[in-house]
């Protein structure tokens, strides 16, 4: 089965924008192959945020927390509740179970936008995003590390429009999926991932398990035997 080998979080701010994954790259490999990994974080160190960001690849716009109260859009607000429309990037890489071995990158670029609505009851903050995939062998040119997601001179994530031009210019290597095209569970994007052994339904179950402390125990409470 596919194994996650690398994670990249760029421009991902949270906690009223007081904390940030400026350009974090997590290598989960040992001797080039995915291995078991353990993250040790302080209490309040952002493990829920990290999980929510990772899950955007399979469940775009998914909410988090015990009661699904944490929205991705809330990350774009500062402590004074001002909307700051910056860009965030999340990328996962899998080593696929293929012969010869191939690697699959899947990423999302997302930015908050203000909706033009006169209805006070309607949420005024929207998200603009697209997803993309890149499949290649171990000698492929594009890697999680060299994707142009971070502007070192500015110290910020590359804007969504700039990165989208990069994806379009390299359409030979990348497949882009629009925001509207991934709203259905039977979308071509999810079908493509399933053909590589990455199943959206499994991630829905994983979200249920990880939504709160002790979630694994809660999830299996109703199981009466090993099969259940």
């Amino acid at each position: 089965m596919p194994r996650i080998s690398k994670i990249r979080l760029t421009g991902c701010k949270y906690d009223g924008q007081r904390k940030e994954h400026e350009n974090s790259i997590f290598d989960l490999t040992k001797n080039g192959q995915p291995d078991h990994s353990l993250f040790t974080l302080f209490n309040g160190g952002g493990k829920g945020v990290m999980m929510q960001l990772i899950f955007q690849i399979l469940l775009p716009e998914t909410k988090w927390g015990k009661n699904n109260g944490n929205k991705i859009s809330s990350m774009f607000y500062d402590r004074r509740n001002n909307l700051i429309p910056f860009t965030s990037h999340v990328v996962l890489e899998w080593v696929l179970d293929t012969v010869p071995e191939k690697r699959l990158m899947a990423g999302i670029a997302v930015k908050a936008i203000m909706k033009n609505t006169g209805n006070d009851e309607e949420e005024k903050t929207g998200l603009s995003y697209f997803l993309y995939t890149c499949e290649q062998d171990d000698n492929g040119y594009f890697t999680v590390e060299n994707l142009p997601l971070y502007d070192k001179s500015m110290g910020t994530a590359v804007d969504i429009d700039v990165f989208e031009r990069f994806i379009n210019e390299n359409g030979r290597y990348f497949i882009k999926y629009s925001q509207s095209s991934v709203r259905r569970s039977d979308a071509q994007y999810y079908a493509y991932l399933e053909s590589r052994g990455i199943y959206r339904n499994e991630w829905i179950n994983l979200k249920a398990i990880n939504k709160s402390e002790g979630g694994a125990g809660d999830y299996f409470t109703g199981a009466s035997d090993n099969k259940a």
Side-chain angles (χ1 to χ4, degrees):
M1 63 185 296
R3 294 164 293 161
I4 293 179
S5 51
K6 292 181 182 178
I7 303 166
R8 184 171 178 182
L9 307 174
T10 302
C12 299
K13 302 178 183 181
Y14 61 100
D15 194 13
Q17 301 193 19
R18 289 174 291 184
K19 300 175 184 177
E20 177 184 10
H21 285 284
E22 184 176 339
N23 189 30
S24 301
I25 299 176
F26 303 94
D27 189 339
L28 312 184
T29 65
K30 182 178 181 180
N31 298 324
Q33 289 297 312
D35 199 13
H36 296 291
S37 300
L38 175 68
F39 289 87
T40 304
L41 301 174
F42 287 109
N43 194 24
K47 57 183 177 293
V49 169
M50 187 175 181
M51 294 293 287
Q52 185 175 12
L53 290 169
I54 291 171
F55 272 68
Q56 297 306 307
I57 302 298
L58 271 294
L59 304 172
E61 297 189 61
T62 194
K63 301 173 185 176
W64 208 258
K66 193 168 184 178
N67 299 310
N68 281 329
N70 300 327
K71 303 175 183 178
I72 281 291
S73 58
S74 67
M75 296 183 186
F76 294 89
Y77 284 87
D78 65 16
R79 287 182 294 169
R80 296 178 178 83
N81 206 34
N82 297 312
L83 177 67
I84 312 297
F86 58 90
T87 298
S88 293
H89 300 276
V90 181
V91 184
L92 297 183
E93 179 193 77
W94 285 269
V95 174
L96 300 179
D97 188 19
T98 58
V99 179
E101 182 180 279
K102 288 191 174 183
R103 299 188 177 232
L104 170 65
M105 283 191 296
I108 185 171
V110 58
K111 188 173 186 176
I113 56 173
M114 287 295 293
K115 293 180 181 178
N116 293 320
T117 174
N119 187 351
D120 291 336
E121 299 298 319
E122 186 177 346
E123 189 173 357
K124 294 183 179 180
T125 306
L127 295 175
S128 175
Y129 62 86
F130 66 88
L131 293 108
Y132 56 93
T133 57
C134 176
E135 185 178 332
Q136 55 195 348
D137 60 34
D138 198 24
N139 297 317
Y141 175 74
F142 293 107
T143 65
V144 170
E145 292 84 355
N146 72 11
L147 284 178
L149 307 180
Y150 184 71
D151 187 331
K152 290 184 179 179
S153 64
M154 298 293 291
T156 59
V158 169
D159 187 76
I160 189 171
D161 294 333
V162 175
F163 185 65
E164 186 170 18
R165 286 197 294 272
F166 165 81
I167 293 294
N168 291 338
E169 290 167 0
N170 291 277
R172 176 182 175 185
Y173 305 99
F174 294 90
I175 304 174
K176 185 178 73 174
Y177 303 87
S178 68
Q179 182 171 349
S180 60
S181 72
V182 298
R183 289 198 172 121
R184 293 173 56 94
S185 60
D186 61 351
Q188 186 178 2
Y189 171 67
Y190 304 119
Y192 169 77
L193 293 179
E194 285 189 10
S195 71
R196 271 61 181 173
I198 302 165
Y199 298 96
R200 187 171 185 268
N201 286 340
E202 290 182 354
W203 282 66
I204 292 173
N205 291 337
L206 287 170
K207 178 189 172 183
I209 291 170
N210 286 282
K211 69 180 180 180
S212 62
E213 299 287 349
D218 293 341
Y219 184 77
F220 292 105
T221 296
S224 58
D225 53 37
N226 288 345
K227 184 176 180 180

